[in-house]
mmCIF file of all heavy atoms in Angstrom:
data_model
loop_
_atom_site.group_PDB
_atom_site.id
_atom_site.type_symbol
_atom_site.label_atom_id
_atom_site.label_comp_id
_atom_site.label_asym_id
_atom_site.label_seq_id
_atom_site.Cartn_x
_atom_site.Cartn_y
_atom_site.Cartn_z
ATOM 1 N N GLY A 58 -68.571 -28.751 -46.412
ATOM 2 C CA GLY A 58 -67.634 -28.581 -47.546
ATOM 3 C C GLY A 58 -66.335 -28.099 -47.008
ATOM 4 O O GLY A 58 -65.190 -28.538 -47.451
ATOM 5 N N ILE A 59 -66.312 -27.144 -46.082
ATOM 6 C CA ILE A 59 -65.050 -26.703 -45.523
ATOM 7 C C ILE A 59 -64.313 -27.748 -44.711
ATOM 8 O O ILE A 59 -63.054 -27.788 -44.775
ATOM 9 C CB ILE A 59 -65.316 -25.438 -44.634
ATOM 10 C CG1 ILE A 59 -65.764 -24.247 -45.497
ATOM 11 C CG2 ILE A 59 -64.099 -25.051 -43.799
ATOM 12 C CD1 ILE A 59 -66.117 -22.994 -44.741
ATOM 13 N N THR A 60 -65.017 -28.563 -43.943
ATOM 14 C CA THR A 60 -64.356 -29.567 -43.237
ATOM 15 C C THR A 60 -63.731 -30.636 -44.145
ATOM 16 O O THR A 60 -62.751 -31.294 -43.817
ATOM 17 C CB THR A 60 -65.382 -30.255 -42.240
ATOM 18 O OG1 THR A 60 -66.467 -30.890 -42.963
ATOM 19 C CG2 THR A 60 -65.856 -29.289 -41.197
ATOM 20 N N PHE A 61 -64.294 -30.758 -45.296
ATOM 21 C CA PHE A 61 -63.665 -31.661 -46.323
ATOM 22 C C PHE A 61 -62.494 -30.937 -46.942
ATOM 23 O O PHE A 61 -61.417 -31.547 -47.147
ATOM 24 C CB PHE A 61 -64.737 -31.871 -47.508
ATOM 25 C CG PHE A 61 -65.266 -33.282 -47.431
ATOM 26 C CD1 PHE A 61 -66.662 -33.473 -47.115
ATOM 27 C CD2 PHE A 61 -64.541 -34.360 -47.775
ATOM 28 C CE1 PHE A 61 -67.198 -34.708 -47.037
ATOM 29 C CE2 PHE A 61 -65.165 -35.607 -47.866
ATOM 30 C CZ PHE A 61 -66.454 -35.807 -47.461
ATOM 31 N N PHE A 62 -62.610 -29.701 -47.218
ATOM 32 C CA PHE A 62 -61.676 -28.969 -48.066
ATOM 33 C C PHE A 62 -60.376 -28.551 -47.279
ATOM 34 O O PHE A 62 -59.290 -28.864 -47.720
ATOM 35 C CB PHE A 62 -62.349 -27.802 -48.718
ATOM 36 C CG PHE A 62 -61.424 -26.984 -49.576
ATOM 37 C CD1 PHE A 62 -61.016 -27.434 -50.811
ATOM 38 C CD2 PHE A 62 -60.986 -25.706 -49.124
ATOM 39 C CE1 PHE A 62 -60.251 -26.699 -51.643
ATOM 40 C CE2 PHE A 62 -60.159 -24.931 -49.959
ATOM 41 C CZ PHE A 62 -59.770 -25.450 -51.224
ATOM 42 N N LEU A 63 -60.543 -27.789 -46.252
ATOM 43 C CA LEU A 63 -59.444 -27.095 -45.607
ATOM 44 C C LEU A 63 -58.328 -28.056 -45.119
ATOM 45 O O LEU A 63 -57.142 -27.927 -45.419
ATOM 46 C CB LEU A 63 -59.946 -26.134 -44.546
ATOM 47 C CG LEU A 63 -58.864 -25.228 -43.889
ATOM 48 C CD1 LEU A 63 -58.177 -24.348 -45.003
ATOM 49 C CD2 LEU A 63 -59.447 -24.334 -42.895
ATOM 50 N N PRO A 64 -58.673 -29.058 -44.272
ATOM 51 C CA PRO A 64 -57.666 -29.942 -43.747
ATOM 52 C C PRO A 64 -56.891 -30.717 -44.938
ATOM 53 O O PRO A 64 -55.656 -30.919 -44.851
ATOM 54 C CB PRO A 64 -58.360 -30.983 -42.929
ATOM 55 C CG PRO A 64 -59.600 -30.283 -42.550
ATOM 56 C CD PRO A 64 -59.967 -29.500 -43.692
ATOM 57 N N ARG A 65 -57.630 -31.132 -45.984
ATOM 58 C CA ARG A 65 -56.975 -31.782 -47.061
ATOM 59 C C ARG A 65 -56.092 -30.884 -47.868
ATOM 60 O O ARG A 65 -55.029 -31.330 -48.403
ATOM 61 C CB ARG A 65 -58.042 -32.382 -47.986
ATOM 62 C CG ARG A 65 -58.802 -33.552 -47.316
ATOM 63 C CD ARG A 65 -60.012 -33.977 -48.079
ATOM 64 N NE ARG A 65 -60.666 -35.153 -47.619
ATOM 65 C CZ ARG A 65 -61.483 -35.190 -46.543
ATOM 66 N NH1 ARG A 65 -61.770 -34.137 -45.902
ATOM 67 N NH2 ARG A 65 -61.997 -36.322 -46.055
ATOM 68 N N ILE A 66 -56.459 -29.620 -47.979
ATOM 69 C CA ILE A 66 -55.506 -28.722 -48.726
ATOM 70 C C ILE A 66 -54.242 -28.578 -47.877
ATOM 71 O O ILE A 66 -53.135 -28.576 -48.494
ATOM 72 C CB ILE A 66 -56.236 -27.368 -48.898
ATOM 73 C CG1 ILE A 66 -57.259 -27.471 -50.094
ATOM 74 C CG2 ILE A 66 -55.245 -26.252 -49.125
ATOM 75 C CD1 ILE A 66 -56.600 -27.710 -51.478
ATOM 76 N N LEU A 67 -54.348 -28.312 -46.603
ATOM 77 C CA LEU A 67 -53.134 -28.255 -45.731
ATOM 78 C C LEU A 67 -52.285 -29.480 -45.848
ATOM 79 O O LEU A 67 -51.074 -29.459 -45.967
ATOM 80 C CB LEU A 67 -53.550 -27.950 -44.291
ATOM 81 C CG LEU A 67 -54.208 -26.608 -44.038
ATOM 82 C CD1 LEU A 67 -54.722 -26.519 -42.596
ATOM 83 C CD2 LEU A 67 -53.283 -25.446 -44.286
ATOM 84 N N ASP A 68 -52.995 -30.657 -45.879
ATOM 85 C CA ASP A 68 -52.297 -31.918 -45.896
ATOM 86 C C ASP A 68 -51.571 -32.060 -47.290
ATOM 87 O O ASP A 68 -50.424 -32.463 -47.362
ATOM 88 C CB ASP A 68 -53.294 -33.066 -45.774
ATOM 89 C CG ASP A 68 -52.751 -34.411 -46.103
ATOM 90 O OD1 ASP A 68 -51.640 -34.738 -45.612
ATOM 91 O OD2 ASP A 68 -53.301 -35.209 -46.818
ATOM 92 N N ALA A 69 -52.217 -31.541 -48.299
ATOM 93 C CA ALA A 69 -51.583 -31.607 -49.689
ATOM 94 C C ALA A 69 -50.352 -30.802 -49.822
ATOM 95 O O ALA A 69 -49.352 -31.171 -50.446
ATOM 96 C CB ALA A 69 -52.649 -31.188 -50.744
ATOM 97 N N PHE A 70 -50.308 -29.704 -49.097
ATOM 98 C CA PHE A 70 -49.042 -28.818 -49.096
ATOM 99 C C PHE A 70 -47.982 -29.264 -48.201
ATOM 100 O O PHE A 70 -46.859 -28.958 -48.348
ATOM 101 C CB PHE A 70 -49.488 -27.350 -48.784
ATOM 102 C CG PHE A 70 -50.072 -26.622 -49.971
ATOM 103 C CD1 PHE A 70 -51.469 -26.503 -50.048
ATOM 104 C CD2 PHE A 70 -49.323 -26.191 -50.978
ATOM 105 C CE1 PHE A 70 -52.041 -25.924 -51.146
ATOM 106 C CE2 PHE A 70 -49.920 -25.537 -52.116
ATOM 107 C CZ PHE A 70 -51.271 -25.395 -52.160
ATOM 108 N N ILE A 71 -48.414 -30.020 -47.120
ATOM 109 C CA ILE A 71 -47.397 -30.583 -46.241
ATOM 110 C C ILE A 71 -46.620 -31.817 -46.948
ATOM 111 O O ILE A 71 -45.457 -32.015 -46.673
ATOM 112 C CB ILE A 71 -48.000 -31.058 -44.910
ATOM 113 C CG1 ILE A 71 -48.557 -29.892 -44.117
ATOM 114 C CG2 ILE A 71 -47.057 -31.907 -44.042
ATOM 115 C CD1 ILE A 71 -49.409 -30.191 -42.880
ATOM 116 N N ASP A 72 -47.391 -32.553 -47.790
ATOM 117 C CA ASP A 72 -46.825 -33.724 -48.392
ATOM 118 C C ASP A 72 -45.410 -33.511 -49.097
ATOM 119 O O ASP A 72 -44.576 -34.329 -48.885
ATOM 120 C CB ASP A 72 -47.815 -34.307 -49.414
ATOM 121 C CG ASP A 72 -48.861 -35.178 -48.693
ATOM 122 O OD1 ASP A 72 -48.819 -35.286 -47.455
ATOM 123 O OD2 ASP A 72 -49.780 -35.742 -49.418
ATOM 124 N N PRO A 73 -45.315 -32.546 -49.973
ATOM 125 C CA PRO A 73 -43.974 -32.390 -50.586
ATOM 126 C C PRO A 73 -42.816 -32.097 -49.499
ATOM 127 O O PRO A 73 -41.711 -32.661 -49.705
ATOM 128 C CB PRO A 73 -44.113 -31.205 -51.489
ATOM 129 C CG PRO A 73 -45.565 -31.158 -51.732
ATOM 130 C CD PRO A 73 -46.324 -31.589 -50.504
ATOM 131 N N ILE A 74 -43.144 -31.391 -48.477
ATOM 132 C CA ILE A 74 -42.171 -31.186 -47.443
ATOM 133 C C ILE A 74 -41.763 -32.500 -46.756
ATOM 134 O O ILE A 74 -40.602 -32.745 -46.494
ATOM 135 C CB ILE A 74 -42.699 -30.116 -46.400
ATOM 136 C CG1 ILE A 74 -42.912 -28.806 -47.032
ATOM 137 C CG2 ILE A 74 -41.709 -29.931 -45.209
ATOM 138 C CD1 ILE A 74 -43.689 -27.761 -46.169
ATOM 139 N N MET A 75 -42.823 -33.265 -46.450
ATOM 140 C CA MET A 75 -42.519 -34.563 -45.879
ATOM 141 C C MET A 75 -41.800 -35.488 -46.791
ATOM 142 O O MET A 75 -40.890 -36.319 -46.397
ATOM 143 C CB MET A 75 -43.874 -35.233 -45.514
ATOM 144 C CG MET A 75 -43.754 -36.476 -44.634
ATOM 145 S SD MET A 75 -43.037 -36.015 -42.996
ATOM 146 C CE MET A 75 -41.815 -37.363 -42.837
ATOM 147 N N GLY A 76 -42.052 -35.340 -48.109
ATOM 148 C CA GLY A 76 -41.339 -36.110 -49.085
ATOM 149 C C GLY A 76 -39.815 -35.814 -49.059
ATOM 150 O O GLY A 76 -38.945 -36.730 -49.127
ATOM 151 N N PHE A 77 -39.493 -34.526 -48.948
ATOM 152 C CA PHE A 77 -38.185 -34.071 -48.957
ATOM 153 C C PHE A 77 -37.498 -34.565 -47.693
ATOM 154 O O PHE A 77 -36.321 -35.054 -47.709
ATOM 155 C CB PHE A 77 -38.118 -32.541 -49.009
ATOM 156 C CG PHE A 77 -36.710 -31.985 -48.938
ATOM 157 C CD1 PHE A 77 -35.982 -31.867 -50.022
ATOM 158 C CD2 PHE A 77 -36.190 -31.567 -47.696
ATOM 159 C CE1 PHE A 77 -34.607 -31.436 -49.926
ATOM 160 C CE2 PHE A 77 -34.997 -31.062 -47.553
ATOM 161 C CZ PHE A 77 -34.175 -30.959 -48.755
ATOM 162 N N ILE A 78 -38.161 -34.504 -46.521
ATOM 163 C CA ILE A 78 -37.586 -34.900 -45.306
ATOM 164 C C ILE A 78 -37.240 -36.454 -45.366
ATOM 165 O O ILE A 78 -36.229 -36.904 -44.959
ATOM 166 C CB ILE A 78 -38.498 -34.630 -44.133
ATOM 167 C CG1 ILE A 78 -38.614 -33.070 -43.901
ATOM 168 C CG2 ILE A 78 -38.074 -35.249 -42.834
ATOM 169 C CD1 ILE A 78 -39.662 -32.625 -42.940
ATOM 170 N N SER A 79 -38.298 -37.128 -45.878
ATOM 171 C CA SER A 79 -38.199 -38.643 -45.922
ATOM 172 C C SER A 79 -37.016 -39.023 -46.911
ATOM 173 O O SER A 79 -36.201 -39.956 -46.564
ATOM 174 C CB SER A 79 -39.458 -39.203 -46.448
ATOM 175 O OG SER A 79 -39.388 -40.622 -46.673
ATOM 176 N N ASP A 80 -36.821 -38.316 -47.994
ATOM 177 C CA ASP A 80 -35.786 -38.708 -48.956
ATOM 178 C C ASP A 80 -34.458 -38.413 -48.410
ATOM 179 O O ASP A 80 -33.481 -39.036 -48.922
ATOM 180 C CB ASP A 80 -35.990 -37.933 -50.276
ATOM 181 C CG ASP A 80 -37.028 -38.512 -51.193
ATOM 182 O OD1 ASP A 80 -37.435 -39.663 -50.914
ATOM 183 O OD2 ASP A 80 -37.470 -37.838 -52.093
ATOM 184 N N ASN A 81 -34.275 -37.478 -47.427
ATOM 185 C CA ASN A 81 -32.963 -37.032 -47.034
ATOM 186 C C ASN A 81 -32.655 -37.389 -45.559
ATOM 187 O O ASN A 81 -31.768 -36.775 -44.972
ATOM 188 C CB ASN A 81 -32.821 -35.519 -47.265
ATOM 189 C CG ASN A 81 -32.865 -35.205 -48.726
ATOM 190 O OD1 ASN A 81 -31.829 -35.432 -49.423
ATOM 191 N ND2 ASN A 81 -33.930 -34.766 -49.265
ATOM 192 N N THR A 82 -33.398 -38.317 -44.991
ATOM 193 C CA THR A 82 -33.149 -38.655 -43.556
ATOM 194 C C THR A 82 -32.040 -39.617 -43.397
ATOM 195 O O THR A 82 -32.012 -40.689 -44.113
ATOM 196 C CB THR A 82 -34.460 -39.302 -42.953
ATOM 197 O OG1 THR A 82 -35.465 -38.287 -42.969
ATOM 198 C CG2 THR A 82 -34.147 -39.758 -41.553
ATOM 199 N N ARG A 83 -31.044 -39.234 -42.566
ATOM 200 C CA ARG A 83 -29.922 -40.201 -42.246
ATOM 201 C C ARG A 83 -30.277 -40.859 -40.902
ATOM 202 O O ARG A 83 -30.417 -40.144 -39.913
ATOM 203 C CB ARG A 83 -28.577 -39.401 -42.103
ATOM 204 C CG ARG A 83 -28.137 -38.787 -43.419
ATOM 205 C CD ARG A 83 -26.882 -38.033 -43.203
ATOM 206 N NE ARG A 83 -26.348 -37.359 -44.396
ATOM 207 C CZ ARG A 83 -26.647 -36.157 -44.773
ATOM 208 N NH1 ARG A 83 -27.441 -35.382 -43.981
ATOM 209 N NH2 ARG A 83 -26.115 -35.644 -45.841
ATOM 210 N N SER A 84 -30.305 -42.182 -40.935
ATOM 211 C CA SER A 84 -30.569 -42.864 -39.686
ATOM 212 C C SER A 84 -30.188 -44.379 -39.834
ATOM 213 O O SER A 84 -30.165 -44.853 -40.960
ATOM 214 C CB SER A 84 -31.956 -42.716 -39.157
ATOM 215 O OG SER A 84 -32.833 -43.642 -39.791
ATOM 216 N N LYS A 85 -30.053 -45.057 -38.734
ATOM 217 C CA LYS A 85 -29.762 -46.462 -38.812
ATOM 218 C C LYS A 85 -30.982 -47.305 -39.185
ATOM 219 O O LYS A 85 -30.821 -48.455 -39.618
ATOM 220 C CB LYS A 85 -29.203 -46.977 -37.446
ATOM 221 C CG LYS A 85 -30.225 -46.903 -36.347
ATOM 222 C CD LYS A 85 -29.614 -47.423 -34.997
ATOM 223 C CE LYS A 85 -30.608 -47.362 -33.830
ATOM 224 N NZ LYS A 85 -30.072 -47.886 -32.627
#
Side-chain angles (χ1 to χ4, degrees):
I59 289 176
T60 58
F61 255 109
F62 179 74
L63 189 57
R65 288 168 175 82
I66 283 293
L67 293 173
D68 174 46
F70 282 100
I71 292 170
D72 276 2
I74 299 173
M75 193 62 225
F77 177 83
I78 293 171
S79 174
D80 279 346
N81 292 284
T82 293
R83 297 179 178 91
S84 82
K85 65 180 181 180

